[in-house]
Amino acid sequence: MNLSRNWLADFVDTAGIDNAAFCDRMTATGSKVETCEELGADIENVVVARVTHLERHPNSDHLWICRLDAGARGQDIQIVTGAQNLFEGALVPAALPVARLPGGVVIRAGKLRGVESNGMLCSMGELKLTAHDMPGKAEDGILILDDDCADRLGEDIRDVLLLRDSVVDFEITSNRPDCLSVLGLAREAAVSFGRELRVPAPAVRGCGDGDRVENHLSVRIDAPDLCYRYAARIVKNVKIAPSPLWMRMRLRASGVRPINNIVDITNYVMLEYGQPMHAFDYRCLDGSAIVVRRAGKDEAFRSLDSTDHVLDENMLVIADRKKAVALAGVMGGENSEITDGTATVVFESACFNGASVRVTARKNGMRTESSTRFEKGLDPENCLPSLERACELVELLGAGDVVDGVLDIYPAPRPRTVLPFTPERYNRFLGTHIPTEHMLQTLRGLGCRLENDRIEVPSFRADLACMNDIAEEVVRIYGYDRIESSRMNAETTLGGRSEKQRFQLDIENALVGMGLSQIHTFSFISPKDYDKIRLPADSPARRSVVISNPLGEDTGVMRTTALPSMMSVLARNRNFNNADVRLFEMASVYLPHESAGELPDEPRVLTLGMYGKADFYTVKGICEGLLRRAGICAEFTACTDNPSYHPGRCARVLAPDGAVLGVLGQADPRMAENYGFEEPVLLAELNFEQLFAHAALQRVYRPLPKYPATTRDFSFVCDEETEVGTIARVMKQAGGKLVEDVELFDIYRGPQVGKGKKSVSMRARLRAADRTLTVEEADSVSRKILNDLELRLGLTLRS
């Protein structure tokens, strides 16, 4: 929003406040300033002068020697010019040495073909003006000023043509459409600087000839859900002409091109009041009626910019009895455009549904000043004052006769928001000590009415809906920089981690202590990643949560396994020539339910990955260390059916109750090859939720044994498929409490034990907690162990 400070002065006096102070204070109170431009600052020493004498240059057939009267700046100034539109008595802008013009042009005294020239006469282009700024003036010659400048000889051209101004560009947030107007920003400036706001009520005399608007026009709203209010007035005996200089210059400063008095009035009111308006040529309205309705299916419409559009039933149009004459809130139609032959005009001031306007504008590729305002949600109460202001300007400019009466259709007036005024609560909420009187002054300055400790919020502030909003208004005007620092004064609770969080942190610290580095990866992967880790086509793990709006084709689903993420990071490290890598991730996976409406489960999986100086027993040892730290007596059993792991180097981790805690082992060489690996890759996946469920978080410490232990060694010949872990488990169960530990100390394969066989040597450590075991007791335990091994596994001692 571009704000002219000259225009602002109509409503609030900011004299004595320079641009820097103005911009700083407005930004501090919530109206963020983007830029501030000094209009006319690039023009210096250009004044109004009268041509008193013209004669041909003696050495040129196209140059003229001009004598100028510039009042106090000189009454006989000679300038040589090539312009052909001059005449004696003409009023012109003269650049006197040393002068500066837009674009960095510097004018000095000199000679043209031997004749002295003390300056230059300026055209519109040299003053950075256009034909819209100066209608009726020659574009290819010197700018001839109007006769009313005759008594202003020698005055600065910036003051004569109203070029001297400061334009402040504000960034207006979507919740403050009221600030998309000079009046809205004037209100903010008045309360920010403690100045008086002057907003005179528009006064319209009317033609007074007994004619009424009802004699000319009828208005009907067929879509009250999209059009909240529609007001209209008629102006007859219209005289289309250029707008006066003051209006053209204000529009120019605001970035709006002047066109003619009627169109300029609608733009002027839109900028001043923030209410977009439209003017129709009355003779183009079939049936002398306006109907606000939804467009028909595939209804054709040609807008003012001569673009054809095809509308649909969700778009709102302003129509007459036969056709659409405007796209509501966006742009008028070419079929009702104001032209030089327009004699009667219908002024429209309406309030439309913001979302509808935005959708309509986007579908038709038409973003206009009007749609920008409507889509943010405007105030229906602003329709009538804006319409009255437009008619007031019509009378002020002598642009026509305003017909008496107003057509105002307002189906459902909005109730005002009323909030309690509680200064103590505001201060408590803000942690401040702002005086109540300052709050009252601020809220009244912002347009609120206060009575009996109640705040009636103005209709143009739909963003004020609760106590927090009122407190924000108070503190932003008071000044955030004035709030004193203070200690927090509130009841608080002692923060801390939950038991599960402490367990997770303990696990992560343990892994870091074992030499692993923690990673964090994205939870979304490509469906093709399931092929790379060799998941079968019918695997349930392929059923994933699909992302509706993915970042790319490689991030289309939420992962059900963290293996692809770990393998990708390992592969990246391998590509960077990192020779020995050990990583872990506490990864979340997403398991969808059968019902599409339910959110997926999000269990966490502790994923380990490594290559380099590591083998199967490395990753198994790390997992055993974690399990011991968690107090879980887990078992490891062979796993041959996991497609992502080597069938002969993979183990399933089981809890004492048989629950599966995870899987570990060497990656299947074919999967490793998919990620560019030739060397072995070791992996582990442990279900964190199961780990936590089976963890012994309360540690029980036993004293060191008082009595010595005795050992017994056993060597068996068994099938290759027999697992050492199974043998150890049977030995522990057979010996009961007297078997303190069982460990493997040798495996032998060779001709002496036969093909498909292996010799396994196990050592059992026996100990009693309350006595020293006798040889007889140790032998008895050994016999029971041998007996159970033979009965359950068919194992006998090797001879």
Side-chain angles (χ1 to χ4, degrees), residues 514-527:
M514 294 179 194
L516 282 74
S517 299
Q518 186 171 13
I519 63 171
H520 294 280
T521 59
F522 289 123
S523 297
F524 26 78
I525 60 174
S526 167

Side-chain angles (χ1 to χ4, degrees), residues 213-219 232 234 282 285 288-290 346 407:
V213 66
E214 294 86 353
N215 301 333
H216 300 268
L217 187 68
S218 66
V219 175
I234 287 182
Y282 176 75
L285 297 178
S288 299
I290 286 179
V346 177
L407 292 175

Side-chain angles (χ1 to χ4, degrees), residues 149-169:
C149 298
D151 56 351
R152 305 187 68 174
L153 298 181
E155 287 192 32
D156 194 315
I157 196 68
R158 293 177 293 179
D159 298 324
V160 173
L161 296 184
L162 306 180
L163 299 177
R164 197 194 302 268
D165 199 354
S166 297
V167 177
V168 184
D169 181 15

Side-chain angles (χ1 to χ4, degrees), residues 725-748:
T726 303
I727 298 173
R729 184 169 63 254
V730 171
M731 293 176 66
K732 288 181 178 179
Q733 291 172 352
K737 294 182 178 181
L738 295 181
V739 178
E740 188 176 72
D741 191 22
V742 175
E743 62 179 3
L744 171 74
F745 68 88
D746 184 56
I747 292 182
Y748 173 76

Side-chain angles (χ1 to χ4, degrees), residues 23-333:
C23 294
D24 288 346
R25 178 59 179 162
M26 293 296 286
T27 299
T29 56
S31 302
K32 182 184 176 186
V33 174
E34 289 289 326
T35 59
C36 181
E37 180 183 3
E38 288 276 359
L39 297 186
D42 49 2
I43 299 175
E44 292 182 14
N45 218 23
V46 179
V47 300
V48 177
R50 185 198 304 275
V51 179
T52 57
H53 181 71
L54 277 174
E55 64 178 89
R56 288 284 185 182
H57 194 293
N59 300 320
S60 173
D61 58 355
H62 72 281
L63 294 178
W64 291 88
I65 301 174
C66 300
R67 294 284 182 177
L68 302 174
D69 178 5
R73 300 299 300 273
Q75 297 184 351
D76 189 19
I77 301 171
Q78 178 173 295
I79 292 179
V80 178
T81 179
Q84 303 302 312
N85 66 327
L86 291 176
F87 55 89
E88 291 183 358
L91 296 169
V92 295
L96 305 182
V98 173
R100 299 184 186 277
L101 297 176
V105 177
V106 179
I107 305 299
R108 304 180 189 277
K111 289 186 177 182
L112 286 177
R113 296 196 178 185
V115 176
E116 184 178 349
S117 180
N118 294 308
M120 184 184 80
L121 303 184
C122 300
S123 65
M124 283 194 299
E126 287 160 340
L127 295 176
K128 213 173 180 179
L129 297 171
T130 68
H132 292 284
D133 302 324
M134 296 288 152
K137 305 299 183 183
E139 294 185 67
D140 55 354
I142 299 302
L143 174 61
I144 306 300
L145 303 174
D146 294 334
D147 292 340
D148 56 6
C149 298
D151 56 351
R152 305 187 68 174
L153 298 181
E155 287 192 32
D156 194 315
I157 196 68
R158 293 177 293 179
D159 298 324
V160 173
L161 296 184
L162 306 180
L163 299 177
R164 197 194 302 268
D165 199 354
S166 297
V167 177
V168 184
D169 181 15
F170 288 90
E171 178 187 327
I172 307 300
T173 54
S174 58
N175 67 320
R176 292 300 306 275
D178 59 300
C179 287
L180 285 170
S181 65
V182 177
L183 186 55
L185 290 172
R187 186 180 295 106
E188 290 292 312
V191 72
S192 296
F193 291 98
R195 304 290 175 92
E196 180 187 359
L197 180 67
R198 305 182 301 270
V199 186
V204 182
R205 296 188 305 273
C207 57
D209 58 0
D211 196 7
R212 299 283 301 176
V213 66
E214 294 86 353
N215 301 333
H216 300 268
L217 187 68
S218 66
V219 175
R220 187 177 79 242
I221 299 177
D222 288 348
D225 57 324
L226 300 182
C227 178
Y228 307 132
R229 189 175 191 178
Y230 194 98
R233 292 199 73 161
I234 287 182
V235 178
K236 61 184 181 181
N237 303 324
V238 170
K239 305 173 186 65
I240 302 297
S243 299
L245 178 66
W246 62 267
M247 180 175 282
R248 298 198 306 269
M249 290 300 102
R250 287 188 176 184
L251 291 174
R252 175 178 179 266
S254 301
V256 176
R257 185 181 68 183
I259 297 176
N260 59 51
N261 51 2
I262 298 299
V263 176
D264 291 351
I265 284 172
T266 61
N267 289 330
Y268 190 90
V269 173
M270 178 184 69
L271 293 171
E272 187 173 65
Y273 276 67
Q275 172 64 43
M277 296 186 63
H278 189 64
F280 301 103
D281 189 332
Y282 176 75
R283 65 183 174 178
C284 299
L285 297 178
D286 290 319
S288 299
I290 286 179
V291 181
V292 186
R293 60 171 174 82
R294 283 178 166 83
K297 183 179 181 182
D298 298 330
E299 182 173 354
F301 175 75
R302 170 168 281 202
S303 55
L304 278 171
D305 56 1
S306 300
T307 302
D308 291 319
H309 305 274
V310 179
L311 311 181
D312 61 44
E313 300 96 325
N314 296 319
M315 299 179 184
L316 189 70
V317 297
I318 312 301
D320 55 23
R321 296 291 187 191
K322 297 181 179 180
K323 63 186 181 300
V325 294
L327 201 53
V330 183
M331 187 180 289

Side-chain angles (χ1 to χ4, degrees), residues 396-690:
L396 180 65
L397 271 56
D401 298 325
V402 180
V403 176
D404 292 334
V406 181
L407 292 175
D408 183 17
I409 312 300
Y410 196 5
R414 293 180 181 176
R416 294 290 180 91
T417 300
V418 178
L419 301 171
F421 178 61
T422 52
E424 300 82 5
R425 190 178 177 194
Y426 303 152
N427 276 323
R428 189 167 62 251
F429 175 72
L430 297 169
T432 58
H433 302 283
I434 301 174
T436 299
E437 187 57 38
H438 185 277
M439 295 185 186
L440 292 169
Q441 182 180 349
T442 296
L443 294 175
R444 290 194 180 104
L446 292 171
C448 298
R449 291 181 57 191
L450 289 100
E451 187 175 352
N452 299 327
D453 292 333
R454 310 288 289 178
I455 303 171
E456 183 178 309
V457 177
S459 57
F460 54 81
R461 290 302 303 273
D463 58 312
L464 302 184
C466 63
M467 182 276 295
N468 297 15
D469 299 327
I470 299 297
E472 180 186 5
E473 295 300 294
V474 169
V475 74
R476 72 180 179 89
I477 301 301
Y478 179 76
Y480 293 104
D481 56 325
R482 296 175 61 188
I483 299 176
E484 297 181 0
S485 298
S486 61
R487 294 182 180 275
M488 183 174 62
N489 182 20
E491 294 182 3
T492 61
T493 56
L494 182 64
R497 293 186 176 91
S498 67
E499 195 171 46
K500 194 172 188 178
Q501 290 171 328
R502 290 196 298 270
F503 178 70
Q504 176 181 335
L505 185 62
D506 189 44
I507 291 293
E508 292 172 349
N509 288 338
L511 288 169
V512 171
M514 294 179 194
L516 282 74
S517 299
Q518 186 171 13
I519 63 171
H520 294 280
T521 59
F522 289 123
S523 297
F524 26 78
I525 60 174
S526 167
K528 297 178 182 178
D529 288 334
Y530 293 138
D531 297 328
K532 294 179 74 173
I533 64 171
R534 303 186 67 249
L535 274 186
D538 59 349
S539 172
R542 283 184 178 266
R543 185 171 174 269
S544 308
V545 176
V546 179
I547 301 174
S548 301
N549 187 23
L551 298 176
E553 61 179 51
D554 292 335
T555 56
V557 298
M558 303 301 290
R559 64 189 178 192
T560 59
T561 170
L563 275 187
S565 305
M566 177 59 72
M567 290 299 298
S568 296
V569 176
L570 290 173
R572 190 177 301 114
N573 277 272
R574 183 69 181 83
N575 293 336
F576 292 159
N577 295 321
N578 293 328
D580 187 25
V581 174
R582 299 185 182 193
L583 306 175
F584 76 93
E585 179 182 14
M586 191 67 71
S588 292
V589 297
Y590 300 82
L591 308 178
H593 289 278
E594 292 297 330
S595 174
E598 294 186 49
L599 293 174
D601 291 331
E602 300 181 28
R604 281 174 292 179
V605 177
L606 178 60
T607 308
L608 280 61
M610 57 194 72
Y611 66 84
K613 299 176 183 178
D615 56 18
F616 174 84
Y617 295 104
T618 305
V619 68
K620 181 173 180 287
I622 292 173
C623 291
E624 286 178 328
L626 279 182
L627 293 167
R628 278 197 304 270
R629 191 177 187 92
I632 302 174
C633 298
E635 296 179 9
F636 297 85
T637 61
C639 178
T640 59
D641 58 354
N642 193 316
S644 300
Y645 289 82
H646 192 297
R649 300 172 186 172
C650 178
R652 188 174 286 111
V653 186
L654 302 177
D657 61 0
V660 178
L661 300 180
V663 63
L664 61 88
Q666 180 180 328
D668 188 288
R670 290 166 291 185
M671 183 186 84
E673 186 179 351
N674 290 338
Y675 289 91
F677 282 98
E678 296 179 356
E679 68 266 44
V681 177
L682 290 311
L683 301 166
E685 299 171 86
L686 300 177
N687 188 316
F688 176 76
E689 313 301 332
Q690 288 288 350

